[in-house]
Coordinates of all heavy atoms in Angstrom, one line a residue:
C111 N 21.7 11.7 -50.0 CA 23.0 12.3 -50.1 C 23.9 11.4 -50.9 O 24.1 10.2 -50.6 CB 23.7 12.5 -48.7 SG 22.8 13.6 -47.7
P112 N 24.4 11.9 -52.0 CA 25.3 11.1 -52.8 C 26.7 10.9 -52.1 O 27.1 11.7 -51.4 CB 25.5 11.9 -54.1 CG 25.3 13.3 -53.7 CD 24.2 13.2 -52.6
P113 N 27.3 9.7 -52.3 CA 28.6 9.5 -51.7 C 29.6 10.4 -52.3 O 29.5 10.9 -53.4 CB 28.9 8.0 -52.0 CG 28.1 7.7 -53.2 CD 26.9 8.6 -53.1
L114 N 30.6 10.8 -51.5 CA 31.7 11.7 -51.9 C 32.7 10.9 -52.8 O 33.0 9.8 -52.6 CB 32.4 12.2 -50.7 CG 31.6 13.1 -49.8 CD1 32.5 13.5 -48.6 CD2 31.1 14.4 -50.5
S115 N 33.1 11.6 -53.8 CA 34.1 11.0 -54.7 C 35.5 11.0 -54.0 O 35.7 11.7 -53.1 CB 34.2 11.8 -56.0 OG 34.8 13.1 -55.7
P116 N 36.4 10.1 -54.4 CA 37.7 10.0 -53.8 C 38.5 11.4 -53.9 O 39.2 11.8 -53.0 CB 38.4 8.9 -54.6 CG 37.3 8.1 -55.1 CD 36.2 9.0 -55.4
E117 N 38.2 12.1 -55.0 CA 38.9 13.4 -55.2 C 38.4 14.4 -54.2 O 39.2 15.2 -53.6 CB 38.6 13.9 -56.6 CG 39.2 13.1 -57.7 CD 38.4 11.9 -58.1 OE1 37.2 11.9 -57.8 OE2 39.0 11.0 -58.7
E118 N 37.1 14.4 -53.9 CA 36.5 15.3 -52.9 C 37.0 15.0 -51.5 O 37.3 15.9 -50.7 CB 35.0 15.2 -53.0 CG 34.3 16.1 -52.0 CD 34.5 17.6 -52.2 OE1 34.9 18.0 -53.3 OE2 34.2 18.4 -51.3
I119 N 37.1 13.7 -51.2 CA 37.6 13.3 -49.9 C 39.1 13.7 -49.8 O 39.5 14.3 -48.7 CB 37.5 11.8 -49.7 CG1 36.0 11.4 -49.6 CG2 38.3 11.3 -48.5 CD1 35.8 9.9 -49.7
A120 N 39.9 13.6 -50.8 CA 41.3 14.0 -50.8 C 41.4 15.5 -50.6 O 42.2 16.0 -49.9 CB 42.0 13.5 -52.0
R121 N 40.5 16.3 -51.3 CA 40.5 17.7 -51.2 C 40.2 18.2 -49.8 O 40.9 19.0 -49.3 CB 39.6 18.3 -52.2 CG 39.6 19.8 -52.3 CD 38.5 20.4 -53.1 NE 37.1 20.2 -52.6 CZ 36.6 20.8 -51.6 NH1 37.3 21.8 -51.0 NH2 35.4 20.6 -51.1
R122 N 39.2 17.6 -49.2 CA 38.8 18.0 -47.9 C 39.9 17.7 -46.9 O 40.2 18.4 -45.9 CB 37.5 17.3 -47.5 CG 36.3 17.8 -48.2 CD 35.0 17.2 -47.7 NE 33.9 17.7 -48.5 CZ 32.6 17.4 -48.1 NH1 32.4 16.6 -47.1 NH2 31.6 17.9 -48.9
K123 N 40.5 16.5 -47.0 CA 41.6 16.1 -46.1 C 42.8 17.1 -46.3 O 43.4 17.5 -45.2 CB 42.1 14.7 -46.5 CG 43.1 14.2 -45.5 CD 43.5 12.7 -45.8 CE 44.5 12.2 -44.9 NZ 45.0 10.9 -45.2
A124 N 43.1 17.5 -47.5 CA 44.2 18.4 -47.7 C 43.9 19.8 -47.1 O 44.8 20.4 -46.5 CB 44.5 18.6 -49.2
E125 N 42.7 20.2 -47.2 CA 42.3 21.5 -46.6 C 42.4 21.4 -45.0 O 42.9 22.4 -44.4 CB 40.8 21.8 -46.9 CG 40.6 22.4 -48.3 CD 39.2 22.7 -48.7 OE1 38.3 22.5 -47.8 OE2 38.9 23.1 -49.8
K126 N 41.9 20.3 -44.5 CA 42.0 20.2 -43.0 C 43.5 20.2 -42.5 O 43.9 20.8 -41.5 CB 41.4 18.9 -42.5 CG 39.9 18.9 -42.6 CD 39.3 17.6 -42.1 CE 37.8 17.6 -42.3 NZ 37.2 16.3 -41.9
E127 N 44.3 19.5 -43.3 CA 45.8 19.4 -42.9 C 46.4 20.8 -43.1 O 47.3 21.1 -42.2 CB 46.5 18.4 -43.8 CG 46.1 16.9 -43.4 CD 46.7 15.9 -44.3 OE1 47.4 16.3 -45.3 OE2 46.5 14.7 -44.1
A128 N 46.1 21.5 -44.1 CA 46.7 22.9 -44.3 C 46.2 23.8 -43.2 O 47.0 24.6 -42.6 CB 46.2 23.4 -45.6
F129 N 45.0 23.7 -42.8 CA 44.5 24.5 -41.7 C 45.2 24.2 -40.4 O 45.7 25.1 -39.6 CB 43.0 24.3 -41.5 CG 42.4 24.9 -40.3 CD1 42.1 26.3 -40.3 CD2 42.1 24.2 -39.1 CE1 41.6 26.9 -39.1 CE2 41.6 24.7 -38.0 CZ 41.3 26.1 -38.0
A130 N 45.3 22.9 -40.1 CA 46.0 22.5 -38.9 C 47.5 22.9 -38.9 O 48.0 23.3 -37.8 CB 45.9 20.9 -38.7
D131 N 48.1 22.8 -40.0 CA 49.6 23.2 -40.1 C 49.7 24.7 -39.8 O 50.6 25.1 -39.1 CB 50.1 22.9 -41.5 CG 50.3 21.4 -41.7 OD1 50.3 20.6 -40.7 OD2 50.4 21.0 -42.9
R132 N 48.8 25.5 -40.4 CA 48.9 27.0 -40.1 C 48.7 27.3 -38.6 O 49.3 28.1 -38.0 CB 47.8 27.7 -40.9 CG 48.1 27.7 -42.4 CD 47.2 28.5 -43.3 NE 46.1 29.2 -42.7 CZ 44.8 29.0 -43.0 NH1 44.5 28.2 -44.0 NH2 43.9 29.7 -42.5
C133 N 47.7 26.5 -38.0 CA 47.5 26.7 -36.5 C 48.7 26.3 -35.7 O 49.1 27.0 -34.8 CB 46.2 26.0 -36.1 SG 44.7 26.7 -36.8
R134 N 49.2 25.1 -36.0 CA 50.4 24.6 -35.3 C 51.6 25.6 -35.4 O 52.4 25.7 -34.5 CB 50.8 23.2 -35.8 CG 49.8 22.2 -35.3 CD 50.4 20.8 -35.5 NE 49.3 19.8 -35.5 CZ 48.7 19.3 -36.6 NH1 49.1 19.7 -37.8 NH2 47.7 18.5 -36.4
E135 N 51.8 26.2 -36.6 CA 52.9 27.1 -36.8 C 52.7 28.3 -35.8 O 53.7 28.7 -35.2 CB 52.8 27.6 -38.2 CG 53.9 28.6 -38.6 CD 53.9 29.1 -40.0 OE1 53.5 28.3 -40.9 OE2 54.1 30.3 -40.2
I136 N 51.5 28.8 -35.7 CA 51.3 29.9 -34.7 C 51.5 29.4 -33.3 O 52.2 30.1 -32.5 CB 49.9 30.5 -34.9 CG1 49.7 31.1 -36.3 CG2 49.5 31.5 -33.8 CD1 48.3 31.5 -36.7
F137 N 51.0 28.2 -33.0 CA 51.2 27.7 -31.6 C 52.7 27.6 -31.3 O 53.1 28.0 -30.2 CB 50.5 26.3 -31.5 CG 50.7 25.7 -30.2 CD1 50.0 26.1 -29.1 CD2 51.6 24.6 -30.1 CE1 50.1 25.4 -27.9 CE2 51.8 24.0 -28.8 CZ 51.0 24.4 -27.7
W138 N 53.5 27.0 -32.1 CA 54.9 26.7 -31.8 C 55.7 28.0 -31.8 O 56.7 28.1 -31.1 CB 55.5 25.7 -32.7 CG 55.0 24.4 -32.5 CD1 54.2 23.6 -33.3 CD2 55.1 23.6 -31.3 NE1 53.9 22.4 -32.7 CE2 54.4 22.4 -31.5 CE3 55.6 23.8 -30.0 CZ2 54.3 21.4 -30.5 CZ3 55.5 22.8 -29.0 CH2 54.9 21.7 -29.3

Side-chain angles (χ1 to χ4, degrees):
C111 297
L114 296 176
S115 67
E117 295 83 17
E118 180 66 15
I119 293 171
R121 184 189 65 78
R122 289 183 182 189
K123 184 177 179 181
E125 284 178 1
K126 286 179 186 178
E127 288 174 359
F129 172 79
D131 289 342
R132 290 184 2 233
C133 291
R134 283 191 202 100
E135 180 181 324
I136 294 168
F137 176 78
W138 290 116

